[in-house]
Amino acid sequence: PGNCRACVVEIDGERVLAPSCCRSPTPGMVVTTDSPRAAAAQKTVLELLLSDAPDTAALKHDSELAHWAGIAGARAGRFPARAAAAQDLSHPAMTVNLDACIQCTRCIRACRETQGNDVLGLAFRGGHAQIVFDQNDPMGSSTCVACGECVQACPTGAIAPANGAYAKVSDKTVDSVCPFCGVGCQLTYHVSDEKIEHVEGIAGPANEGRLCVKGRFGFDYAHSPERLTRPLIRRADAPKDPHAVMRRDWKTLFREASWDEALDVAANGFKQAMASTTARGRQGPVAGFGSAKGTNEEAYLFQKLIRTAFATHNVDHCTRLCHASSVAALMEGLGSAVVTNPLRDVEHADFVLLIGANPAQNHPVGATWIKNAVKRGMKLVLADPRRTELARHSWKHLGFQPGTDVALLNALLHTIVFEGLTDPAYIEAHTLDFAQLKAHLVDFSPEAMAPVCGIDAATLREVARAYATAKNSMILWGMGISQHTHGTDNARCLIALSLITGQIGRPGTGLHPLRGQNNVQGASDAGLIPMVLPDYQKVSDVHAREKAEHLWNLPPGTLGSEAGL
């Protein structure tokens, strides 16, 4: 802040004008924003900026420079313009037009301080100074990850969407939630002619206005010509060969239909299946596979449809693939499969263990909070056989041998238990069977596990001590832990680390399995799982079944007691 000096104010008792954007008020300070001296300086600064960027409104319809120049009465042309700068059109999602740049450095701060990507900088000197990507590389050839934070921060449109969307006012805006990963970023779609033109981040609790490349630029699929917009019904004369779908035009296989006809065909098909097929498997011929990209309401209605219309608990969604082992371990260890702390709690953590996950690729906005916390002083330990992008931000990178997660984690547990780094009061009040865990860990010393996992014993002990003795320690994990032959054991170890040290139940502590889809938690809460009804009520619980039957107006005994497939 303070680069452009367009916001200077007069402060009583001070010789020079002060930029208001980087001064904090103090008791007794007398500030005048519109004195003749301040107003003249503001106008002159804006006219100097206009000589650099005379027509920013053509690039960005709500250009802040044009807005404030109009308020101050600044006019273009008072000072000679600089030589024109070449456009950078090398990136598919963004354009760079340095003719409109006023070197406010918002883009640099957005890239470095907010997103933690360290791509943008200010190069050269004096009148030749300019914003650059890496070593003055073309944007498309630089290490830019296309998060677009610079686009959102730029006040003049010098960095803008490549489709020119900033040049015109959108017909309407629609607030929504990003449909990609499980971070839960809130955003606004800017729509014109019923087409998404560009996306801006909202100051939601998960993202505070931040977005990644997927949330900001990954909306083309909504307008894909391959997207179905009308129901299709299979033609009676369609070929039976299952490979024909790949070889033939869809019109030889399907015909378009109205919604009423399509719904009738689907309903009658299900009726015939139920009437003509004897029950097979656990609970009949029908199963339903839902989606963790749907809303809570859709998940609830879908599982209700399968359970009430088809009298089966054969209903599921992608948690079975992604975090089933985490869910099993969390239900066993904590009695709940819900994350104990939000991802943004890394802001309050002094130590974070990240294992089996690559947030910089799969949860990019979540990764920004981790990078911000590291700059604040948090110790990050990355446990991953690969050296992923967050390794450069980590205090320790544990590049262990693939498949030796349990050996590594047991060595950490052994150190904490046998060096007396546990929290006895928490163990006594909130856990069971600690003696069994201690007996199990006897053979898993760091010295014994080092040859197995490939991490030296001294490093294992150092990491274990740091985790146990930090004021607030948090564990994040992903599908490198859960989609594993020992997935449940991996999660059990992480849960044990948290419980024996009391690193749970406070801000900046706890356990957070990173969700892959954007509504894994909601779909699970709503009952889109074969062994539980909504709110994790077990189907084997007679009282839970009776309550559901009453609420859904079902005859007593309709819902079976055996978990679905």
Side-chain angles (χ1 to χ4, degrees):
N3 272 39
C4 70
R5 290 303 198 265
C7 64
V8 289
V9 296
E10 194 162 11
I11 301 175
D12 280 8
E14 295 193 6
R15 181 178 60 85
V16 297
L17 299 175
S20 61
C21 63
C22 55
R23 280 292 294 274
S24 298
T26 57
M29 180 185 285
V30 178
V31 180
T32 306
T33 62
D34 57 354
S35 69
R37 184 185 176 203
Q42 293 164 8
K43 180 180 177 181
T44 300
V45 167
L46 287 165
E47 288 177 333
L48 285 164
L49 293 175
L50 287 174
S51 71
D52 274 350
D55 193 18
T56 57
L59 297 172
K60 186 177 173 66
H61 71 87
D62 57 350
S63 163
E64 292 181 45
L65 176 59
H67 171 77
W68 290 110
I71 290 177
R75 58 183 174 84
R78 181 182 170 193
F79 299 100
R82 291 187 181 180
Q87 276 190 319
D88 182 353
L89 306 178
S90 61
H91 198 282
M94 295 169 280
T95 59
V96 182
N97 186 346
L98 293 183
D99 271 351
C101 179
I102 59 173
Q103 297 179 16
C104 63
T105 69
R106 281 193 196 173
C107 58
I108 295 175
R109 284 175 275 133
C111 184
R112 292 183 177 183
E113 298 170 19
T114 302
Q115 289 277 345
N117 291 323
D118 303 325
V119 178
L120 279 163
L122 194 63
F124 310 114
R125 294 189 176 188
H128 299 289
Q130 69 177 57
I131 301 295
V132 297
F133 293 82
D134 293 333
Q135 302 297 313
N136 200 18
D137 299 319
M139 187 187 204
S141 304
S142 71
T143 57
C144 170
V145 297
C147 67
E149 199 72 31
C150 56
V151 171
Q152 184 163 300
C154 180
T156 64
I159 305 178
N163 62 356
Y166 275 7
K168 59 181 185 290
V169 181
S170 302
D171 294 343
K172 63 179 179 179
T173 59
V174 180
D175 292 344
S176 188
V177 178
C178 182
F180 288 103
C181 76
V183 171
C185 299
Q186 294 185 22
L187 46 76
T188 297
Y189 291 112
H190 289 254
V191 180
S192 294
D193 299 323
E194 296 305 313
K195 182 179 180 181
I196 299 171
E197 294 288 350
H198 72 278
V199 178
E200 298 286 327
I202 296 178
N207 62 316
E208 289 292 342
R210 307 176 184 199
L211 291 176
C212 73
V213 60
K214 291 177 274 190
R216 195 178 304 278
F217 299 115
F219 50 80
D220 301 45
Y221 67 90
H223 311 296
S224 169
E226 297 181 0
R227 183 174 179 179
L228 295 181
T229 56
R230 297 192 62 187
L232 301 179
I233 292 177
R234 189 173 182 87
R235 298 171 62 96
D237 59 349
K240 303 299 184 184
D241 179 4
H243 299 291
V245 176
M246 303 298 294
R247 297 198 304 263
R248 295 172 184 260
D249 182 79
W250 66 267
K251 291 182 180 178
T252 65
L253 300 173
F254 299 97
R255 63 177 176 84
E256 290 187 346
S258 68
W259 279 103
D260 286 341
E261 181 188 8
L263 290 169
D264 286 343
V265 169
N268 290 331
F270 279 122
K271 287 179 181 178
Q272 292 173 12
M274 294 297 292
S276 63
T277 309
T278 56
R280 61 176 181 266
R282 290 190 191 177
Q283 293 186 16
V286 174
F289 197 72
S291 172
K293 284 189 177 290
T295 64
N296 292 348
E297 292 81 1
E298 289 168 340
Y300 176 81
L301 288 172
F302 185 73
Q303 63 85 32
K304 180 180 176 183
L305 168 71
I306 300 300
R307 287 187 160 110
T308 60
F310 306 120
T312 177
H313 294 301
N314 290 341
V315 62
D316 210 347
H317 75 287
C318 69
T319 293
R320 184 72 43 240
L321 175 66
C322 61
H323 271 298
S325 53
S326 302
V327 168
L330 287 165
M331 292 294 289
E332 172 190 280
L334 300 182
S336 169
V338 180
V339 298
T340 67
N341 295 63
L343 179 54
R344 279 196 63 181
D345 252 20
V346 295
E347 295 175 307
H348 308 293
D350 302 288
F351 181 104
V352 168
L353 172 61
L354 174 63
I355 183 168
N358 186 3
Q361 291 282 327
N362 299 315
H363 304 83
V365 172
T368 70
W369 298 118
I370 296 171
K371 288 184 274 188
N372 294 164
V374 168
K375 287 187 176 180
R376 176 187 51 78
M378 179 267 286
K379 283 184 175 180
L380 173 65
V381 171
L382 174 66
D384 196 310
R386 299 183 303 160
R387 187 174 179 83
T388 59
E389 198 273 334
L390 283 179
R392 73 183 180 95
H393 299 273
S394 64
W395 171 60
K396 300 285 185 184
H397 171 226
L398 305 182
F400 60 93
Q401 292 295 321
T404 62
D405 311 60
V406 172
L408 170 80
L409 297 173
N410 273 338
L412 301 182
L413 286 164
H414 179 282
T415 301
I416 292 169
V417 169
F418 291 99
E419 290 190 6
L421 302 176
T422 61
D423 184 339
Y426 188 90
I427 292 171
E428 178 64 27
H430 300 291
T431 72
L432 299 171
D433 301 324
F434 174 71
Q436 291 183 21
L437 176 67
K438 185 174 182 179
H440 164 75
L441 293 171
V442 169
D443 297 328
F444 292 93
S445 69
E447 288 72 21
M449 293 301 101
V452 178
C453 67
I455 306 297
D456 64 275
T459 299
L460 291 171
R461 290 189 181 276
E462 187 179 11
V463 169
R465 291 164 186 158
Y467 173 83
T469 58
K471 181 180 178 183
N472 294 318
S473 291
M474 192 170 176
I475 299 175
L476 310 175
W477 74 92
M479 295 175 207
I481 282 294
S482 59
Q483 293 187 19
H484 195 293
T485 53
H486 295 285
T488 307
D489 285 338
N490 291 338
R492 284 174 176 141
C493 290
L494 297 174
I495 295 165
L497 275 171
S498 182
L499 293 179
I500 66 172
T501 55
Q503 295 284 14
I504 192 169
R506 306 185 310 277
T509 65
L511 302 155
H512 188 111
L514 293 160
R515 308 304 199 184
Q517 305 289 351
N518 63 323
N519 200 26
V520 168
Q521 193 66 64
S524 301
D525 295 344
L528 206 57
I529 303 179
M531 73 284 294
V532 295
L533 297 164
D535 196 27
Y536 303 98
Q537 303 298 300
K538 293 182 179 180
V539 299
S540 58
D541 184 341
V542 63
H543 300 295
R545 295 199 308 275
E546 289 174 351
K547 181 179 179 181
E549 288 167 348
H550 173 72
L551 291 172
W552 293 340
N553 296 316
L554 299 175
T558 301
L559 298 176
S561 60
E562 188 177 6
L565 296 171

